[in-house]
Amino acid sequence: MEQPVTVGRATRSPGAESEAPEALMDLGDLVGESLTARVTLDEQGRVTGWNTGAERLLGYAARQMTGRRAADLLAEPIPVRGGPPTLAGLPRWNGDVALRHHDGRKLTVRVLAHHRAPGTGAPAWLLLSALTRGQPRPALDESLVSWSFAQSPCCALAIYDTRLRLRRANEGMERAMALTEEEMLGLRVSEIVDNEAGERAERSMARVLRTGEPQYEENYLRAPGETREHAWSVFESALRDAEGTIRGVCLAAHDMTEQSWARKRLQLIAEAGRRIGSTLDVTRTAQELTDVTVPDLADFVSVDLLAALDDTPEPRAQALPADGPVLLRRVALRSVTPGAPEAVVAPGEVDSYPEGSAPYESLRAGRATLHEVTDTALTAWLAHDPVRAERIRAFGIHSVMTVPLVARGTTLGVVFFVRHRNPDTFRHDDLVLAGELAARAAVSIDNARRYTRERATAVTLQRSLLPQRLPRQAAVEVASRYLPAGGHAGVGGDWFDVIPLSGARVALVVGDVVGHGLHASATMGRLRTAVRTLADIDLPCDELLTHLDDLVARLSVEEEGEEGVEPFGDVGATCLYAVYDPVSRHCCFARAGHPAPAVVSPDGSVELTEIPAAPPLGVGSLPYEATEVVLPEGSLLVLYTNGLIEDRDRDRDLDAGVHRLRESLARPAPSLDALCDTVLADLLPQRPADDVALLVARTRALDASQVATWAVPDDPSAVAQTRKDVVAQLERWGLSDAVFVTELVVSELVTNAIRHAQPPIQLRLIHDNTLICEVSDGGNTAPHLRRARTYDEGGRGLLLVAQLTGRWGTRQGAWGKTIWAEQTISLQ
């Protein structure tokens, strides 16, 4: 009779793991190590371990047996049903063995042998035999059985005594362990189940004996001969007699495999919904599908898209070729093996799949397929693909699933699911789960494809509308950068421009259209064209923005859409317009809802120009004001859009962005291009959430010797003297070749001013890369070209000026107008 264990009445929660060290009962003392004969062998069958139970059973001491062949102890060959066993290929063996005792007598012993997998660090074989199995069963056994079945309704039951030795097991437990009650009798649970689950269960049972509290745990076991791992809900409880004394432990287990699989499936679907489609990038979305499904569903997963879709502007409902092999481009893969050596096709490569191959048939039929490598369809395909067949043999691949990627009626590609490390073959439930995950991923991949296509179109359109190269002019040295958004927002409507103006001046523009995509890019193009047109007629900064505001308001009305047409939404934009004059070094600024420009002085100090705030374009009703400042030669004008200083994803406000911009601009840079790169690196993440336009201009100043100015009397006789003065100045500049044309231009413009305009009249020549002639007067009427008749005495002056010069025009000022003409000196 086993000794009962009496415990106190202290309350303890089930599954408690921590006890004080002094309260722990020595497990070896509890179970009686010597009650089981334990022997370990290496792969050659030599004894590596021999406990006191083995010494009691056969009479040999451990020092006598260590290193000897275990077969030397056999009294007769091992009887095995069905013929001699191939022990090396068995995970476990049990049966009766005739052994020779040290004193020469023969013993028939019931042995349970576990074969450990290579690489575990444990001996190859563990042989066990219970020494108590030959003892008569005490009457208590029957009571234990009745108590267990009365107190536990679970299907798999086992009764253990206070030494944690099995006394009874029902049919459910026999099926779960693939052993009969007779074969398990007298063994510990850790000896019946030779893995961590058995040891964990035994520790829990020991805790039941110590505390009297029930314990609960979940175990995952694969019985010998089973092709699939089972999930078990294990409940261990104390068995008490009428006085409350613990007489044993009942272990009850319920097979929760289906429930566990359903729970894992829901978790995997939830995880897929959270992780797949986090970006609008085709490759990353495909990679997210493989990351979610390895290793939870498969050991190797690849996503292959139809190569026919690579250059397709619009997705076709049927992208599969009418005949011939299917070409698939691999866009993502993942494996439980580092480096994915199972893969025959590397990411980015295209492979051909002939008729009869698994992906071909899956795509043609439009349904998921499941194959084991021994299937006829798979072996027929692999017979013509030796490389793939060799990889399957090398890695022990045993089952494959192919699942088409279909979204919105369009076939996009196929997903391969492969198992080789997981011994369970794919089942129908796995195929259903793979189909659901692939369907989710297909929609995200199709969204990414559509976004990528639209974004590429928008980027192309936007870049075509931006300056391809900045115009040559004398007023400033410029450098620029444009970065399209890298996140979900897509391409926006940021733009910049450099516009040469009359009188060697230059206009610098930066703007930002509200919204993203093709519509924003198209609107940007319209506004940029409007700014260039308004700048060409030399409107002052504030007036130009007023006209631009009217244009945006009209566009908003147009965008309300016709009946039945989906509108794009309100049109809005911000803009900063600046005009710099290298003669006076004056710079005029006006802005509409746009960040103020930064000015870096030659000494390195950085300041933001104070420009009156004004609403964005399209709001209307409020005037725009201009600010004029004098800039030292060599100053830097820095114009930018808010994407440079504002980052909504990182919650960075404008003030923090402006502070970082000022710090970046204060550092010396060898060139303007280097400065642009430094600013972008300091302020932007790798994938900016908004478009960014940056324009940096270093101011130049024309020397006084390059400008000549004369006040012209309001008298026709003054024309002759003016011509003489101009010729003398051209001689001093070394421009003798330009004398003839310049005399004609000056004569015509000055004569027209004297005849048709109002004083004061002023003539100015500017010599830089070009020769500019300007005549200003107090009148407001603008001249225009007209065709003179044969006998007309006038009307040919401006036509002659237009023919002889590169370009000409007129601009209005605060007190009159200026007519100008520009010659390209190198052509004279």
Side-chain angles (χ1 to χ4, degrees), residues 595-718:
V599 176
V600 184
S601 62
D603 62 7
S605 60
V606 182
E607 298 293 339
L608 294 184
T609 304
E610 295 184 2
I611 307 173
L617 299 171
V619 175
S621 74
L622 294 176
Y624 296 100
E625 298 182 41
T627 298
E628 191 167 295
V629 298
V630 178
L631 299 175
E633 183 178 5
S635 298
L636 294 183
L637 289 175
V638 183
L639 287 68
Y640 49 90
T641 55
N642 63 348
L644 180 68
I645 58 174
E646 184 181 31
D647 190 344
R648 299 181 182 90
D649 291 345
R650 295 190 292 179
D651 296 327
R652 188 180 73 193
D653 59 25
L654 290 176
D655 291 340
V658 169
H659 178 72
R660 293 183 61 184
L661 174 63
R662 295 179 65 167
E663 288 182 340
S664 183
L665 293 174
R667 296 201 300 270
S671 66
L672 295 187
D673 282 319
L675 178 61
C676 288
D677 293 337
T678 299
V679 169
L680 296 183
D682 289 348
L683 273 75
L684 295 181
Q686 291 183 350
R687 296 171 63 88
D690 196 6
D691 285 8
V692 174
L694 174 64
L695 182 63
V696 179
R698 176 177 285 117
T699 62
R700 295 169 175 164
L702 294 181
D703 189 78
S705 62
Q706 295 178 267
V707 182
T709 305
W710 297 273
V712 180
D714 186 17
D715 185 345
S717 63

Side-chain angles (χ1 to χ4, degrees), residues 140-150 159 167-168 239:
L140 177 63
D141 282 2
E142 297 300 323
S143 298
L144 288 174
V145 171
S146 62
W147 296 334
S148 66
F149 282 95
I159 306 299
R167 291 306 183 189
R168 294 299 303 269
L239 299 178

